[in-house]
């Protein structure tokens, strides 16, 4: 329980992680408490009071016909927190709302004000970093709640509710139950799908060139050059080919293997000399300080952090007072930060590494939102990584070091040097002229590179450019003869567009102006959690489900997944946040359309969908008569036309025909969409229709025993006779089936091993009371069974080797339930600052968790035990304590529903207030007759 606020000013922040630091900076005259994020939100319509379900709030918890008024309720797990805040406010002389300085933070402050209804002066306290100077400055320079920012956040929330509740049900009906659509997630999914489509349509093209090693006559420094021209024609490179494999460049020499090898051989006998030397200055400027998106990208490239994990670690650094606010679109640094960065660069690297005047990065990203600084080390004087090494460890230290390096480097001098390009020429024995070229960069002054160099995305062209840097060429002049030390033909293939990684997807979203940097981590996480995207290494691969969903949205909600339209929505939200556009006016146009512009709104789009062929929308053609269908139980490949059918005329090859029942095969998750070619699809069909490898006959039953590959792995089974198969249909006889052990190979298993597997379960013997003990292989591994008492075995081989005495010895031991004997902790985190008790990480029934012996908190999805810091463990426990104990609801018989008295209903509406007209700007109201339907799941 929080201390009394009698006579002390109440400060409410968002996160429990900030409380201790801010309390220390403000002193005893204040009491600091956390709201733990939002305290109320739009409810699911099914949770509305009965008297409201049939009213204007019944469909969305938003009255779309009357100014898009929102009906909010306090979250069930926040009621205790609200009660606590009211108690603290009761005796406080002033209230400071110190939530984050962005739209969400402003909205949280407004909701706190609406729910707490303070009767004392209220001040909006904002800060960009949690340092003593910043907090003390913020408490003396307060402002009012910015209603425009609140409007922008509420508009975004209502927009996502309308989008999700209108579009998601269409996906449920036409693709699969439980799917969701969202303003940003659907567009991000489309981007990943479009990239995969490009890869599927891509056709590789082969091309060759020649690489040689040359050195000035007399044993000078050797260098490598590449063939660029043959007989006056440029040698074709990968950029000269279209994605379909055709050569698009004109008048280029497209070398095949034979031609390249011929040139390589001839060059060895050719006199080569320098024909041109060009040298020019090289200058490279440092990158701007981090904003949210660039931090996520660099953390992914250099630290292998997911976007979500990078933001979580940054949040802890911010709350600990190590960095400034980590949700920002601005590259601007304050005067104090400029001075600190320049002074630190001067102290560490020397005066020549700092330019005469500060570097100012005023340019913001498209649709930049808040007026924060860039992400930088906190304070008026930065702490070096060495100074925080004793306080930060693991990911926190690595991310702080990255931010520190980027900030300091942004105020350092340019890297300088020179780039030299050399051209070599020679005449082949057949009279053709050949030209080779080499280039290299020599850095003469490293400048900012002494502190930091930006990472590169995995790209062949970028890798080649990086290799050219720092490559030194010997001093050469025109006419100098060269010795040819090596000449080799090299073959290449064009490569399909690279799949998105988290870093490149975030970069693409930012470039298109879609979403907000602060939401990118959540967006990337959402499209993975929804089953639209999975990862292979760092690459994002769309699932076939994403193909079906994207196709439906593209064909029937074209504008909603249009990149420009989505970016325009962000611009509109910015206009609302600046007070240049009314929220009601914009929502009216989005939902009901604009007759003056002849544009349809979302409601009309949903009503005028017409007939959607669910089977067709979930079908993805592969070509050559093969398609992928997204079915109820997952994707599968199906043959819809004979092999070789003409894709234009539909002409079927002579003698080709489809079986009466189309062949189908399940597609496993390890096969990416671009890897499923028509040839691969037919291979899957052949495997699926394969009756298996016959191992021999069971000497007892005379049935054939076969080994097959199944959906859930390899197995052996017996083949029933036609007469037995008929009985099987009547459920009177079933073939024996057994999965192969983990150490068995489908290709080498023999009849004896198969019969042994089919003999399971095996009777081990009986106990003293005559109860039979059997050894069986189950879903969770091998085990013994005696009546209803089961005991696990250590290995599958024990199923055949365990004796009765060994089995009885196992049953003589006490049965271990759950996890069995207590296990040692997975990790020790130290003493909790609140309870003072040691905190450890343990392995539980539902996964790893942290505990101090009193409070248990489950680790989140992205929490890695190896890199889990004590601060993160303490944070999880603090959040769990703030939520209070979890209570289980007991099922009870429902009494007949009674109609709530009008007075009681009015009171309920007051405690869960819709946004009142008194605190809103006036907006045009439009009345429209709408059908009411319930939906669950917001878009985002």
């Amino acid at each position: 329980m929080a201390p009394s606020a009698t006579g002390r000013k109440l400060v409410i922040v968002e996160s429990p992680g900030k409380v201790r630091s801010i309390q220390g900076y403000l002193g005893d005259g204040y009491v600091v408490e956390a709201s733990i994020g939002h305290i109320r939100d739009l409810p699911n319509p099914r949770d509305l009071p009965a008297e409201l379900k049939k009213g204007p709030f019944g469909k969305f918890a938003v009255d779309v016909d009357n100014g898009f008024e929102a009906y909010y309720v306090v979250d069930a797990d926040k009621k205790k927190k609200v009660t606590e805040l009211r108690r603290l406010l009761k005796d406080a002389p002033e209230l400071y709302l110190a939530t984050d300085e962005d739209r969400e933070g402003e909205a949280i402050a407004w909701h706190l004000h609406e729910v707490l209804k303070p009767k004392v002066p209220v001040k909006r306290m904002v800060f960009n970093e949690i340092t003593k100077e910043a907090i003390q400055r913020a408490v003396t320079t307060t402002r009012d709640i910015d209603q425009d920012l609140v409007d922008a956040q509420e508009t975004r929330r209502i927009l996502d509710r309308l989008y999700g509740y209108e579009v998601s049900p269409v996906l449920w009906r036409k693709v699969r139950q439980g799917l969701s659509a969202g303003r940003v997630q659907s567009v991000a999914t489309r981007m990943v799908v479009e990239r995969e489509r490009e890869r599927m349509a891509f056709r590789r093209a082969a091309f060759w060139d020649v690489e040689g090693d040359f050195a000035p006559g007399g044993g000078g420094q050797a260098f490598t050059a590449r063939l660029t021209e043959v007989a006056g024609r440029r040698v074709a490179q990968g950029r000269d080919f279209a994605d379909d494999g055709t050569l698009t460049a004109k008048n280029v020499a497209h070398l095949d293997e034979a031609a390249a090898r011929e040139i390589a051989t001839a060059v060895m006998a050719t006199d080569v000399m320098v024909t041109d030397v060009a040298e020019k200055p090289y200058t490279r400027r440092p990158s701007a300080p981090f904003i949210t998106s660039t931090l996520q990208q660099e953390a992914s490239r250099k630290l292998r952090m997911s976007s979500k994990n990078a933001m979580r670690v940054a949040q802890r650094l911010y709350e600990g007072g190590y960095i400034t606010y980590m949700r920002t679109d601005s590259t601007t640094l304050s005067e104090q930060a400029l001075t600190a960065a320049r002074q630190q660069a001067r102290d560490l690297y020397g005066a020549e590494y700092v330019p005469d005047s500060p570097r100012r990065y005023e340019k913001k990203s498209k649709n930049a939102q808040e007026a924060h600084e860039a992400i930088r080390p906190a304070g008026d004087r930065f702490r070096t990584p060495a100074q925080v090494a004793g306080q930060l460890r693991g990911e926190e230290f690595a991310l702080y070091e990255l931010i520190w390096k980027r900030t300091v480097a942004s105020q350092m001098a340019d890297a300088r040097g020179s780039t030299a390009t050399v051209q070599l020429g020679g005449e082949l024995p057949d009279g053709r002229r050949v030209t080779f070229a080499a280039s290299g960069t020599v850095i003469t002054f490293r400048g900012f590179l002494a502190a930091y160099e930006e990472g590169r995305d995995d790209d062949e062209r970028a890798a080649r450019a990086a290799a050219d840097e720092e490559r030194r060429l010997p001093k050469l002049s025109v006419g100098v003869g060269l010795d040819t030390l090596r000449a080799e033909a090299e073959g290449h293939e064009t490569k399909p567009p690279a799949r998105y990684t988290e870093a490149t997807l975030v970069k693409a979203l930012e470039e298109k102006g879609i979403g907000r940097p602060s939401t990118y981590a959540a967006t990337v996480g959402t499209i993975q959690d929804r089953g639209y995207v999975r990862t292979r290494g760092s690459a994002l691969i769309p699932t076939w489900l994403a193909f079906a969903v994207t196709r439906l949205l593209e064909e029937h909600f074209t504008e909603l997944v249009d990149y420009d339209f989505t970016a325009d929505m962000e611009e509109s939200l910015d206009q609302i946040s600046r007070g240049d556009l009314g929220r009601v006016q914009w929502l009216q146009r989005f939902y009901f359309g604009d007759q003056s512009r002849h544009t349809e709104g979302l409601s009309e789009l949903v009503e005028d969908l017409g007939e959607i062929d669910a089977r067709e929308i979930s079908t993805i053609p592969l070509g050559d008569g093969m398609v992928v269908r997204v079915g109820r139980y997952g994707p599968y490949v199906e043959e819809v036309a004979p092999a070789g059918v003409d894709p234009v005329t539909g002409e079927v090859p002579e003698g080709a025909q489809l079986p009466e029942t189309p062949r189908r095969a399940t597609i496993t998750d390890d096969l990416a969409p671009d890897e499923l070619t028509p040839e691969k699809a037919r291979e899957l069909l052949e495997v699926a229709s394969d009756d298996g490898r016959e191992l021999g006959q069971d000497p007892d039953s005379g049935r054939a025993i076969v080994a097959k590959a199944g959906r859930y792995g390899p197995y052996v089974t017996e083949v029933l006779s036609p007469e037995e198969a008929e009985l099987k249909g009547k459920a009177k006889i079933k073939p024996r089936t057994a999965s192969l052990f983990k150490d068995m190979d489908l290709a080498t298993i023999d009849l004896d091993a198969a019969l042994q597997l089919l003999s399971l379960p095996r009777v081990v013997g009986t106990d003293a009371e005559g109860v039979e003990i059997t050894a069986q292989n189950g879903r969770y591994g091998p085990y013994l069974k005696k009546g209803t008492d089961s005991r696990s075995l250590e290995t599958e081989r024990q199923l055949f080797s365990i004796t009765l005495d060994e089995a009885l010895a196992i049953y003589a031991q006490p049965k271990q339930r759950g996890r069995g004997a207590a296990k040692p902790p997975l990790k020790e985190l130290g003493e909790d600052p609140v309870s003072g008790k040691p905190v450890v990480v343990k392995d539980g029934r539902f996964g790893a968790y942290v505990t101090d012996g009193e409070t248990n908190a489950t680790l989140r999805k992205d929490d890695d035990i190896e890199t889990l810091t004590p601060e993160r463990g303490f944070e999880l426990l603090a959040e769990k304590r703030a939520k209070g104990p979890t209570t289980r609801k007991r099922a009870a018989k429902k009494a007949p529903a009674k109609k709530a008295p009008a007075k009681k209903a009015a009171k309920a509406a007051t405690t869960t207030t819709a946004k009142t007209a008194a605190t809103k700007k006036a907006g045009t109201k439009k009345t429209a007759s709408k059908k009411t339907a319930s939906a669950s799941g917001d878009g985002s």
Side-chain angles (χ1 to χ4, degrees):
M1 182 177 289
S4 171
T6 304
R8 302 162 71 191
K9 300 172 184 178
L10 176 60
V11 180
I12 302 179
V13 296
E14 286 181 39
S15 170
K18 302 176 185 179
V19 171
R20 188 176 181 184
S21 297
I22 296 176
Q23 181 70 71
Y25 296 146
L26 292 178
D28 293 337
Y30 298 82
V31 59
V32 183
E33 187 58 44
S35 69
I36 315 179
H38 279 278
I39 60 168
R40 67 175 188 171
D41 194 8
L42 298 175
N44 189 308
R46 65 170 174 261
D47 297 329
L48 285 170
E51 65 273 10
L52 295 179
K53 288 184 178 180
K54 295 183 180 180
F57 296 106
K59 186 175 182 180
F60 306 114
V62 175
D63 187 351
V64 297
D65 295 321
N66 293 287
F68 292 88
E69 290 294 325
Y71 185 90
Y72 295 105
V73 297
V74 174
D75 296 336
D77 60 349
K78 293 296 179 68
K79 290 181 179 179
K80 181 179 178 181
K81 172 59 65 177
V82 169
T83 300
E84 183 180 344
L85 292 174
R86 282 175 175 153
R87 181 183 62 79
L88 292 171
L89 180 61
K90 185 177 180 182
D91 299 316
E94 287 182 334
L95 171 63
Y96 289 79
L97 298 173
T99 51
D100 293 339
E101 191 185 10
D102 56 16
R103 292 177 189 167
E104 289 299 321
E106 206 72 21
I108 291 172
W110 180 82
H111 282 292
L112 285 166
H113 186 277
E114 293 294 294
V115 171
L116 298 179
K117 302 186 183 306
K119 298 179 181 178
V120 296
V122 178
K123 299 178 180 180
R124 179 76 171 98
M125 174 180 166
V126 294
F127 44 87
N128 194 38
E129 58 186 355
I130 302 177
T131 61
K132 185 175 183 178
E133 297 79 9
I135 296 302
Q136 291 181 345
R137 185 166 53 243
V139 82
T140 59
T141 55
T142 57
R143 61 170 173 80
D144 294 330
I145 292 176
D146 188 327
Q147 199 62 49
D148 291 329
L149 281 180
V150 175
D151 284 353
Q153 188 278 340
E154 185 177 56
T155 304
R156 193 275 308 163
R157 183 69 187 93
I158 293 174
L159 164 64
D160 288 344
R161 171 58 64 96
L162 298 176
Y163 192 126
Y165 274 48
E166 288 284 30
V167 181
S168 296
V170 179
L171 301 182
W172 304 347
R173 296 193 301 269
K174 299 302 180 181
V175 181
R176 184 185 296 175
Q177 190 69 26
L179 297 178
S180 70
R183 176 177 53 94
V184 180
Q185 63 155 296
S186 295
V187 175
T189 301
R190 182 191 178 197
M191 291 172 65
V192 179
V193 168
E194 283 192 334
R195 180 59 56 86
E196 197 72 11
R197 287 171 179 166
E198 293 173 7
R199 292 175 63 89
M200 294 169 72
F202 181 82
R203 297 295 176 265
R204 295 182 184 275
F207 60 96
W208 286 71
D209 59 15
V210 178
E211 185 181 82
D213 291 340
F214 304 90
Q221 177 190 340
F223 62 97
T224 301
R226 189 172 295 275
L227 180 68
T228 58
E229 286 186 9
V230 177
R233 291 195 301 162
R234 181 171 60 81
V235 175
Q237 297 296 310
R239 63 180 179 273
D240 299 318
F241 296 87
D243 286 347
D244 62 0
T246 58
L247 185 64
T248 56
K250 296 181 180 179
N251 196 31
V252 295
H254 181 195
L255 302 182
D256 57 17
E257 182 178 2
R261 291 190 184 281
E262 179 187 354
I263 292 173
T265 301
V267 166
M268 292 299 296
T270 299
D271 292 330
V272 178
M273 68 175 60
V274 178
T275 59
D276 186 53
V277 177
E279 190 169 337
K280 59 182 179 181
Y282 170 87
T283 302
R284 185 173 167 191
R285 291 172 55 84
S287 300
F290 280 133
I291 60 175
T292 305
S293 58
T294 54
L295 176 64
Q296 292 173 14
Q297 292 167 44
E298 277 291 83
S300 174
R301 296 186 192 109
K302 291 194 168 185
L303 306 180
R304 301 300 178 195
M305 285 186 182
S306 67
S307 299
K308 187 182 294 185
N309 193 33
M311 291 305 292
R312 192 181 63 216
V313 175
Q315 176 83 31
R316 294 203 297 268
L317 290 174
Y318 166 62
E319 292 175 355
Y322 292 99
I323 65 171
T324 54
Y325 192 55
M326 66 289 159
R327 293 188 180 91
T328 175
D329 299 352
S330 173
T331 55
T332 302
L333 290 175
S334 67
E335 292 300 323
Q336 294 90 338
L338 290 172
T339 301
R342 286 168 57 81
Q343 185 60 50
Q344 206 147 60
R346 188 179 293 109
D347 293 344
L348 293 172
Y349 302 103
E352 68 274 21
Y353 282 84
V354 182
D356 294 336
S357 58
R359 292 185 183 273
R360 300 184 186 277
Y361 301 87
E362 302 295 346
K363 184 179 179 181
K364 297 180 180 180
S365 61
K366 184 179 180 181
N367 290 340
Q369 182 179 316
E370 275 77 48
H372 295 306
E373 278 190 77
I375 304 170
R376 62 168 177 87
D380 295 339
R381 181 173 178 81
F382 302 160
R383 286 168 284 184
T384 65
Q387 290 173 321
V388 301
Q391 306 157 32
L392 300 176
R393 292 188 183 129
E395 290 178 321
E396 291 181 358
F397 176 81
L399 194 63
Y400 178 84
E401 183 180 42
L402 191 69
I403 294 168
W404 177 86
K405 285 181 176 180
R406 177 85 164 219
T407 308
V408 172
S410 74
Q411 292 304 310
M412 293 176 66
D414 294 343
R416 298 190 298 272
S418 61
T419 298
T421 302
V422 178
Q423 289 193 349
L424 322 175
E427 186 173 322
L428 302 179
D430 61 6
R432 289 181 296 169
R433 294 285 303 176
V434 292
T435 301
F436 285 78
S439 63
T441 299
V442 177
I443 303 295
T444 57
F445 176 68
R446 291 188 60 76
F448 76 91
L449 292 176
Y452 175 83
E453 182 172 8
E454 186 173 25
R456 303 173 189 263
D457 294 316
D458 296 331
D459 179 82
E460 186 177 13
R461 188 178 300 175
R464 183 173 295 181
D468 286 342
E469 292 185 7
E470 295 291 344
R471 178 189 292 169
R472 290 178 176 271
L473 296 177
K475 279 291 183 182
L476 299 169
S477 57
V478 175
V480 171
L482 302 171
D483 294 332
T484 304
L485 307 179
R486 176 184 67 91
E488 291 182 2
E490 289 193 343
H492 310 275
E493 280 189 338
T494 54
K495 293 185 176 181
R499 288 192 178 97
Y500 285 112
T501 62
E502 285 199 18
T504 55
L505 181 59
V506 165
K507 183 178 180 180
L509 287 167
E510 182 186 23
E511 289 174 347
K512 293 180 183 295
I514 295 168
R516 283 282 171 232
S518 59
T519 66
Y520 290 154
T523 297
V524 175
T526 296
I527 62 178
Q528 294 180 65
D529 295 341
R530 296 286 190 269
Y532 296 145
V533 173
R534 58 186 178 85
T535 59
R536 178 187 291 176
S538 61
L540 299 176
I541 303 175
T543 61
W544 291 108
L545 177 64
F547 276 76
V549 168
T550 299
R551 181 181 174 187
L552 187 150
L553 295 176
E554 287 174 334
E555 294 183 9
H556 299 279
F557 296 95
T558 308
E559 198 170 53
L560 295 185
V561 289
D562 178 78
Y563 300 140
D564 291 337
F565 178 77
T566 308
D568 287 343
M569 283 197 282
E570 296 294 347
E571 174 59 32
S572 297
L573 292 174
D574 288 334
Q575 291 177 340
I576 294 171
S577 72
R578 296 191 297 265
D580 298 335
L581 179 65
R583 59 175 287 278
V584 175
Q585 170 192 351
W586 188 84
L587 285 169
Q588 194 86 16
R589 189 167 64 239
F590 169 78
Y591 190 69
F592 292 113
D594 189 337
Q595 294 182 353
S596 64
R597 300 182 184 180
H598 305 287
T599 58
E600 286 187 307
L602 177 61
S603 63
E604 294 171 289
L605 285 175
V606 174
E607 288 183 349
D608 298 335
L609 283 175
E611 290 298 321
I612 298 178
D613 188 331
R615 180 179 173 83
E616 177 63 22
I617 211 73
S618 295
T619 299
I620 302 97
L622 296 178
D624 199 21
M626 308 299 296
V627 299
V628 171
R629 299 196 195 279
V630 180
R632 181 178 179 183
Y633 302 106
Y636 61 93
V637 64
E638 181 176 295
E639 185 179 27
V640 295
V645 65
D646 190 297
V648 178
T649 65
E651 184 177 344
V652 178
E654 185 176 350
Q657 59 181 12
L658 278 174
E660 292 183 6
T661 302
R663 294 192 298 168
R664 296 174 179 172
T666 300
I667 302 172
T668 56
D669 290 341
D670 60 345
L671 193 65
D674 75 326
E675 297 167 353
L676 186 57
T677 61
E679 296 74 24
K680 181 64 177 178
R682 293 194 185 282
E683 182 184 320
L684 293 177
L685 291 175
E686 291 300 326
V687 172
S689 60
D690 185 9
D691 288 334
R693 180 170 64 91
E694 186 168 334
L695 306 178
Q697 286 188 325
D698 183 343
D700 295 331
S701 67
R703 297 174 185 145
I705 306 299
V706 296
K708 303 177 69 173
R711 180 178 182 183
Y712 302 106
Y715 67 99
V716 291
T717 186
E718 56 186 0
V719 180
L720 302 181
S721 66
E723 294 77 16
E724 290 174 324
E726 185 178 348
L727 291 174
K728 174 191 173 185
K730 298 176 182 178
K732 292 183 179 180
I733 187 170
K734 293 181 179 179
R736 292 178 297 162
T737 300
S739 296
L740 269 61
F741 287 172
K742 293 176 182 178
D743 60 353
M744 291 180 173
D745 187 354
L746 183 63
T748 59
I749 189 171
D750 57 20
L751 178 62
D752 290 339
L755 291 174
Q756 200 173 25
L757 288 172
L758 292 173
S759 70
L760 295 173
R762 164 180 164 252
V763 177
V764 179
T766 57
D767 66 6
E769 298 177 356
V771 180
E772 190 175 76
I773 300 175
T774 58
Q776 306 187 31
N777 206 8
R779 180 179 179 185
Y780 302 106
Y783 66 98
L784 294 173
K785 186 173 184 180
K786 184 179 72 169
T788 59
D789 191 357
S790 300
R791 305 293 176 95
S792 296
L793 294 175
E794 294 181 0
T795 68
E796 291 174 313
R797 292 292 174 182
Q798 283 183 285
L799 293 170
F800 302 127
S801 63
I802 192 168
T803 65
L804 177 60
D805 288 341
E806 291 171 336
L808 291 173
I810 290 175
Y811 275 103
Q813 299 174 8
K815 186 170 184 177
Q816 296 178 347
R817 298 186 179 276
R819 293 174 298 151
K823 299 178 183 178
L826 303 177
K827 191 170 187 178
E828 297 180 358
L829 301 179
E831 192 175 281
D832 183 76
V834 177
S835 67
K837 297 185 177 182
V839 177
V840 295
V841 182
K842 289 190 174 184
D843 187 16
R845 181 180 178 187
F846 302 106
Y849 65 99
V850 291
T851 179
D852 64 352
E854 294 180 351
T855 305
N856 300 337
T858 304
L859 267 59
R860 305 291 193 268
K861 183 179 178 181
D862 290 328
D863 285 319
D864 180 46
I865 296 174
E866 293 296 324
T867 58
L868 188 74
T869 62
E871 292 75 16
R872 175 59 178 163
F874 304 154
E875 177 186 2
L876 289 170
L877 290 174
E879 290 178 359
K880 186 62 184 285
R881 291 189 193 99
K883 289 182 178 180
T886 302
T887 57
R888 294 184 179 179
K889 295 181 179 180
R890 295 182 178 274
K893 293 183 180 180
K894 292 184 178 180
K898 294 182 180 180
K899 188 173 180 180
K903 187 175 181 180
K904 189 175 181 179
K907 184 178 180 181
T910 301
T911 58
T912 57
T913 56
K915 196 166 188 178
T916 58
T919 60
K920 299 299 297 172
K921 296 179 179 179
T924 304
K925 295 184 180 180
K926 179 178 178 181
T927 303
S929 176
K930 302 298 296 172
K931 296 178 181 178
T932 301
S934 63
S936 63
D938 294 82
S940 59

